[in-house]
């Protein structure tokens, strides 16, 4: 069963949650690789301040790698690695993956 393709702009404004149900942020924009014609990242704003406390400095958003996306529907689900930023597990990997 093939789903009809969606416009990239339809992602803007959708809320992003971890697969454990923790609110991460809201999609403000997407990062594209024009040569590969693929989405490579999600630019998030309206962040969960508790989740990103002390990690984004004065910045108001982050870019999550699109490979972290597990599902796209009414909301976008991402791997729970984003939650591990706060706990310290996989910290070195997470710090290099989340751009601020």
């Amino acid at each position: 069963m093939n789903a009809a393709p969606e416009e990239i702009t339809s992602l803007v404004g959708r809320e992003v949650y971890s697969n454990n149900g923790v609110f991460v942020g809201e999609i403000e924009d997407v990062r594209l690789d024009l040569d590969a014609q693929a989405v490579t990242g999600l630019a998030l704003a309206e962040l969960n301040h508790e989740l990103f406390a002390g990690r984004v400095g004065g910045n108001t958003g982050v870019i999550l790698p699109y490979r972290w996306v597990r599902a796209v529907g009414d909301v976008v689900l991402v791997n729970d690695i984003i939650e591990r930023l706060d706990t310290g597990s996989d910290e070195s990997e997470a710090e290099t993956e989340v751009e601020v």
Side-chain angles (χ1 to χ4, degrees), residues 24-75:
V24 177
E26 184 177 298
I27 299 174
E28 185 172 272
D29 206 350
V30 294
R31 177 187 272 177
L32 302 173
D33 179 339
L34 296 178
D35 293 331
Q37 298 181 358
V39 176
T40 60
L42 299 176
L44 304 184
E46 303 298 323
L47 300 174
N48 176 338
H49 296 291
E50 291 178 14
L51 193 60
F52 290 98
R55 299 226 181 249
V56 294
N59 296 315
T60 59
V62 297
I63 298 177
L64 296 183
Y66 194 76
R67 69 179 180 273
W68 287 5
V69 173
R70 296 179 56 94
V72 176
D74 292 337
V75 298

Side-chain angles (χ1 to χ4, degrees), residues 81 84-85 87-95:
I81 192 162
R84 289 184 246 160
L85 285 171
T87 63
S89 62
D90 293 325
E91 187 172 327
S92 60
E93 178 185 349
E95 283 185 39

